[in-house]
Amino acid sequence: MLQIEEMRLIKTVKELKTILAAATGSVGLVPTMGAIHQGHVALLTKARSDCGTVVASIFVNPHQFNIKNDYLNYPKNLSTDLEIMENSGVDIVFKPNIEEIYPNSFTTTVNVKSLSDRLEGAFRPGHLDSVATIVIKLLNICQPNFVYFGQKDIQQLLMIKRMIIDLNIQTNLVSIDTVRDKDGLALSSRNNHLTEAQKQSALGLYSSLKSASNLSRNGEKSANKIKSEMEQILLSHNLDIDYLAICDSETLDEVTYINGAALAVIAAYCGNIRLIDNMLI
Ligand code: AMP
């Protein structure tokens, strides 16, 4: 275990590598974009219980935003983030600036074929390639024994799982369930932008996923029937649907009939805030 009395804030790759070279025991990495909420805390807590040294990164990756304003308006609250991270037992916060991660000469992009081009990839072209690229960079910089991701971003999780296997990356991927508020709304940094009325509307995502799960549990096998029920619920909550799909829970291939576990995935706009959610049904 690394003997760190106080959480350290590190900005350069060189400094992070030097500190981690002195760490014994396992290193856990929790990549985040900041605006820390209880979903992130669940990841940090899991990393804390598994690992000798916990590194949390905060990096709002400009390349993964398709809309410039979405990037510019991404919620930021460093002092609160640091306080929550410290209280969650984080040893090192890695918060590089953009030039540290993307020097002028940077040209490489990682593409996890098929897993990154559909669903989110179809509506946000290049988004998941940029996520894969920043994640592999963070993994190479930190070389953690364990890396932690949430099932809230299920396509991202499945893509990274595939990338780690395909590229022989020496780490263990750990995932945690989606953390929700008491009404079922999946926690997300973007919820900060929702008005109270929009929060009510956003509950339509959870309602439609729950209804899919209930239908499936009661024996409904037709993906179309389930999707049509989900669509009704989303529309009745004034949500503007980007996609709604019932998929294989590993490949994300759309299924027609549910045979065993399937994944219901949704992306929808609540006003101008884009929300995603999913559930195993
Ligand atoms: P982000 O800061 O949005 O990039 O998210 C950092 C990590 O937190 C990712 O692995 C997300 O999947 C995870 N995460 C975000 N929201 C939740 C949530 N509500 N429950 C669990 N994990 C989450």
Side-chain angles (χ1 to χ4, degrees), residues 146-193:
F146 297 90
V147 65
Y148 295 83
F149 289 97
Q151 288 165 19
K152 156 81 167 47
D153 300 281
I154 190 69
Q155 191 175 358
Q156 165 178 294
L157 173 68
L158 293 171
M159 176 192 76
I160 291 165
K161 188 172 167 189
R162 187 75 251 164
M163 178 179 81
I164 286 174
I165 295 169
D166 287 355
L167 299 183
N168 300 83
I169 300 170
Q170 297 300 303
T171 194
N172 297 290
L173 187 152
V174 182
S175 69
I176 62 150
D177 289 346
T178 300
V179 178
R180 302 177 179 280
D181 75 7
K182 61 177 182 6
D183 297 320
L185 178 64
L187 300 189
S188 162
S189 306
R190 289 197 165 83
N191 296 353
N192 292 341
H193 294 310

Side-chain angles (χ1 to χ4, degrees), residues 21 27 37 57 62 64 69 77 105 112-113 127 129 145 156-157 164 169 179 191 236 244 260 270 279:
V27 172
H37 53 64
S57 60
Q64 73 189 60
N69 270 343
N77 199 340
S105 52
V112 185
K113 213 180 286 172
H127 162 69
D129 292 348
N145 302 91
Q156 165 178 294
L157 173 68
I164 286 174
I169 300 170
V179 178
N191 296 353
S236 73
L244 163 60
C270 183
M279 194 176 277

